Amino acid sequence: MTSSFGSWPSPFAAAHIAQASPRIDGARFVGDEIWWGESVPSQGGRITVRSSSGDEILPEPWNARSRVHEYGGGSWTASDDGTLFFVSGADQRVYRMPRGEQPKPLTAPGPAFGGLRLQQGRLLAVREDLRREQHLRAIVEIPVDGSGAESESAVHTVISTGGFVAHPALSPDGKRVAWVQWSGIRMPWEQALLHIAPVDGDEITLIPTRAALQPEWVADDALLYLDDPTDRWNLQRVNPGGETEPIAPADADTGGGLWVLGNRWYQPLDDGRIVAVRTNGVDEIVLIGTDGEVELLTLPITAGASIDDAQGARVLISGAGSQVGSGLWCVDVDAGTITTVTGGEPADAAWIPRARAVTFDGPHGPVHAFDYRPTNPDAVPADGELPPYVVMVHGGPTAHVSGAASTAYAYWTSRGIGVLDVNYGGSTGYGRAYRERLNGAWGVVDVDDVIAAARGMADAGLADPDRIAIRGGSAGGWTVLSALVRGGTFGAGISRYGVADLRMLAAETHDFEARYLDGLVGPLPEAEAVYIERSPLSHVDRIDVPVLLEQGSEDRVVPPSQSEAIRDALAARGVPHEYVLYEGEGHGFRAAETIISSLETELRFLGRVFGFTPKL
């Protein structure tokens, strides 16, 4: 069937996308079973815990969601006997729930908890207390007998700080705790230090690190961790004398931005071998032998990989791949077997485009991206017609996208709309130098890079230069608005809870990112003129293409005031625009009805702007 790009009939309805490939939120071996966290969009995006036996361990309406550092993570764990420990999204208390019983609180109301870690029967966590003028975070041990539910003093504080902490790890003998700590003046991927201290003492050993991640004890006197002293996050070991040494260094990253508390980029096995993620644009999974030899494991996972747990020679790995959807796999590195636990459905190549890694020349160096071309076995375009494209801009901006099979992108490509996913300068996954390209240049380098990528597609004859839109959320929304201010490349913009004014963001955002702009733009008040000049809100008069603004009413990272300021300025100038406020949504859309509405609204918007009639 011959049909114009954008008007192709598609089997991927927005309702299908809302329910497809739920987000996996951690996994672990529990006795003879495997448990994992999973989002439930039809229930407001709550996180439940499921088991390989088919049971839903955490029933509705309980929601395992932490709000520590705003982005949470590490919201649940479990003991081998099947007892679940989780942070309730409703009150941020930690609960204990033996299988089949009702949850009972382990902590008192008030503080929030996250990064739960159960080792040797002892429950460690990150505690965040925002009740006082000076906000405090701590590494704590929570009594599992429930005594901490009535008295905050029953929760043992290992270390308390006005800065930030993550990744608590207990030594095998139970005497020492290791963790990662940073001041808040710099972000953890800029500078984070590794600390070791007695559980019941004040003497702290500081390991000089650059951007430490994920300490893991492999003996009472040997600790593994991640750091990037050579510009790539690689495995390191602290020996008994305090000396550090690299383990199988590579020109790839084992590690990433510490946005959430539950990330796991590697797992040591009992025999001393290590299973780890390595990222250089795409993810690979490797097995590092005790002699340092590295074996590439043949797995379907190429994006978003997390090494969630290990038991003997078996590891649990979540992620997605170029030919499979997101899922969870159990891998036996000795037997060479790969078992799909949940998700991971093979992608239908007739409908799901395979991501094509592309690189463009930009004014600041190479720009990396993934191209998803229009794909539909039942439709062909008219002769000579070029497809419209949507340039996707990830948030962060210190984050990363990898090419993976995606029904969310098939929603666009099956209708004849191409997708270009850009890892602009500042993204992780390509080393520190690429990451630091954005230092002091947010709103410049990221904009230059997405423009270079869009023009590169048009110059190659792969995209209609008059029908290229740009879409992004949060920091990605900032780049969307900044690119529209620049003008000349994009015919439309979709900003999802995007940053519009830097001074407003600095005044309103939460603790975790309170000083993020110091590195991305400059410190206040010294750099106030730069804040004004860079902000899209200062130059709305330069935006001359239609804009769609989408926002969650409960967003505490980028409050609605940002989108509403842009909305009002566009309205005052008569620029075509739409503003959609989703009640109850925070920073990122989780509920199925929101996801459906958002996708359909965006598709109709692009159809109106680019002159095609989409089939919803």
Side-chain angles (χ1 to χ4, degrees):
M1 177 185 69
T2 300
S3 181
S4 297
F5 284 118
S7 301
W8 293 354
S10 168
F12 297 103
H16 173 80
I17 306 305
Q19 300 299 333
S21 300
R23 180 169 60 88
I24 304 299
D25 189 28
R28 62 176 294 133
F29 293 103
V30 179
D32 295 329
E33 294 183 323
I34 294 169
W35 290 12
W36 67 92
E38 181 180 302
S39 62
V40 188
S42 63
Q43 298 172 9
R46 80 176 182 97
I47 300 296
T48 187
V49 178
R50 302 190 188 278
S51 80
S52 53
S53 64
D55 294 341
E56 182 175 25
I57 306 299
L58 186 64
E60 192 178 5
W62 293 97
N63 176 18
R65 186 185 179 193
S66 166
R67 296 296 293 266
V68 170
H69 302 176
E70 189 61 33
Y71 297 106
S75 61
W76 71 276
T77 187
S79 63
D80 290 338
D81 67 0
T83 298
L84 177 68
F85 301 87
F86 69 97
V87 178
S88 169
D91 59 14
Q92 294 300 290
R93 299 169 75 183
V94 177
Y95 286 76
R96 178 180 185 270
M97 191 186 82
R99 190 168 187 166
E101 299 183 18
Q102 287 298 309
K104 294 183 178 179
L106 296 182
T107 59
F113 295 84
L116 301 186
R117 195 83 192 274
L118 187 70
Q119 296 178 293
Q120 292 96 58
R122 299 166 66 177
L123 184 61
L124 300 180
V126 174
R127 181 181 65 200
E128 182 175 63
D129 193 342
L130 307 182
R131 294 172 296 177
R132 301 172 178 84
E133 182 176 351
Q134 182 185 11
H135 296 168
L136 295 176
R137 282 99 188 165
I139 300 294
V140 299
E141 181 178 350
I142 301 170
V144 298
D145 62 4
S147 58
E150 301 300 328
S151 172
E152 287 187 41
S153 62
V155 175
H156 173 62
T157 300
V158 177
I159 179 67
S160 180
T161 174
F164 296 85
V165 291
H167 294 313
L170 185 67
S171 62
D173 61 9
K175 295 181 178 180
R176 292 188 292 172
V177 174
W179 71 93
V180 170
Q181 183 170 329
W182 64 102
S183 66
I185 296 175
R186 304 186 71 183
M187 300 304 288
W189 45 84
E190 296 174 322
Q191 185 179 63
L193 302 178
L194 178 62
H195 294 66
I196 303 172
V199 173
D200 297 313
D202 296 329
E203 182 182 350
I204 296 176
T205 301
L206 180 64
I207 307 298
T209 54
R210 198 174 184 190
L213 293 166
Q214 195 190 339
E216 302 282 355
W217 295 91
V218 291
D220 291 334
D221 57 0
L223 181 71
L224 303 180
Y225 66 99
L226 301 171
D227 196 17
D228 69 341
T230 59
D231 295 335
R232 288 286 204 172
W233 273 300
N234 280 177
L235 278 158
Q236 316 286 327
R237 184 196 305 269
V238 180
N239 293 320
E243 304 90 356
T244 61
E245 62 174 343
I247 298 175
D251 187 21
D253 285 314
T254 299
L258 211 173
W259 286 101
V260 297
L261 296 175
N263 287 345
R264 292 286 181 268
W265 292 276
Y266 72 96
Q267 289 287 345
L269 305 184
D270 292 341
D271 61 6
R273 294 177 296 172
I274 301 168
V275 177
V277 182
R278 282 185 172 174
T279 305
N280 191 21
V282 298
D283 292 347
E284 295 180 338
I285 312 299
V286 298
L287 177 64
I288 302 173
T290 55
D291 58 0
E293 290 296 313
V294 177
E295 175 188 351
L296 177 64
L297 300 180
T298 304
L299 300 175
I301 304 163
T302 60
S306 177
I307 316 297
D308 293 313
D309 198 12
Q311 183 186 76
R314 298 189 302 159
V315 289
L316 295 176
I317 308 177
S318 56
S322 61
Q323 301 179 62
V324 296
S326 63
L328 173 67
W329 291 265
C330 180
V331 180
D332 190 314
V333 299
D334 287 341
T337 58
I338 305 168
T339 304
T340 302
V341 179
T342 187
E345 292 83 3
D348 184 349
W351 287 101
I352 307 290
R354 181 173 294 189
R356 182 176 67 97
V358 291
T359 303
F360 304 96
D361 292 329
H364 311 280
V367 181
H368 301 293
F370 293 93
D371 176 26
Y372 299 80
R373 295 184 179 180
T375 303
N376 185 317
D378 299 329
V380 293
D383 288 344
E385 184 186 9
L386 291 174
Y389 255 77
V390 178
V391 173
M392 301 289 185
V393 191
H394 67 68
T398 310
H400 178 75
V401 292
S402 295
S406 169
T407 54
Y409 284 178
Y411 180 80
W412 304 97
T413 58
S414 62
R415 290 170 166 80
I417 304 167
V419 170
L420 184 69
D421 217 352
V422 182
N423 278 317
Y424 49 88
S427 302
T428 58
Y430 302 96
R432 181 178 277 259
Y434 196 84
R435 198 163 75 242
E436 291 185 343
R437 186 188 290 180
L438 204 59
N439 285 3
W442 194 34
V444 178
V445 166
D446 52 320
V447 175
D448 288 342
D449 285 358
V450 296
I451 288 174
R455 289 178 177 172
M457 291 293 291
D459 292 346
L462 299 175
D464 184 342
D466 296 324
R467 295 193 295 172
I468 300 179
I470 183 170
R471 173 186 185 263
S474 189
W478 154 272
T479 304
V480 167
L481 297 172
S482 299
L484 297 183
V485 166
R486 188 82 64 87
T489 300
F490 300 105
I494 301 172
S495 172
R496 297 156 60 94
Y497 38 91
V499 176
D501 182 83
L502 290 176
R503 290 182 300 172
M504 192 184 303
L505 179 66
E508 296 179 341
T509 197
H510 58 125
D511 282 7
F512 179 72
E513 295 181 76
R515 302 296 294 273
Y516 195 9
L517 296 180
D518 287 15
L520 292 173
V521 183
L524 286 172
E526 297 88 339
E528 184 172 14
V530 180
Y531 279 55
I532 296 170
E533 174 59 29
R534 294 263 183 92
S535 294
L537 190 60
S538 301
H539 307 289
V540 176
D541 59 311
R542 300 178 189 173
I543 297 178
D544 57 4
V545 298
V547 183
L548 171 62
L549 304 165
E550 298 174 293
Q551 178 70 46
S553 66
E554 304 303 314
D555 194 336
R556 296 191 297 185
V557 178
V558 182
S561 56
Q562 295 267 338
S563 292
E564 290 166 0
I566 282 286
R567 175 201 62 189
D568 294 345
L570 292 172
R573 293 194 59 252
V575 177
H577 68 281
E578 298 176 41
Y579 175 64
V580 184
L581 181 68
Y582 291 107
E583 291 294 336
E585 291 285 5
H587 197 64
F589 301 153
R590 296 173 179 267
E593 56 268 26
T594 303
I595 296 170
I596 293 168
S597 173
S598 176
L599 283 172
E600 291 182 346
T601 298
E602 291 170 6
L603 184 58
R604 282 192 290 261
F605 170 75
L606 292 184
R608 286 192 297 272
V609 175
F610 290 153
F612 58 79
T613 304
K615 294 178 173 60
L616 298 178

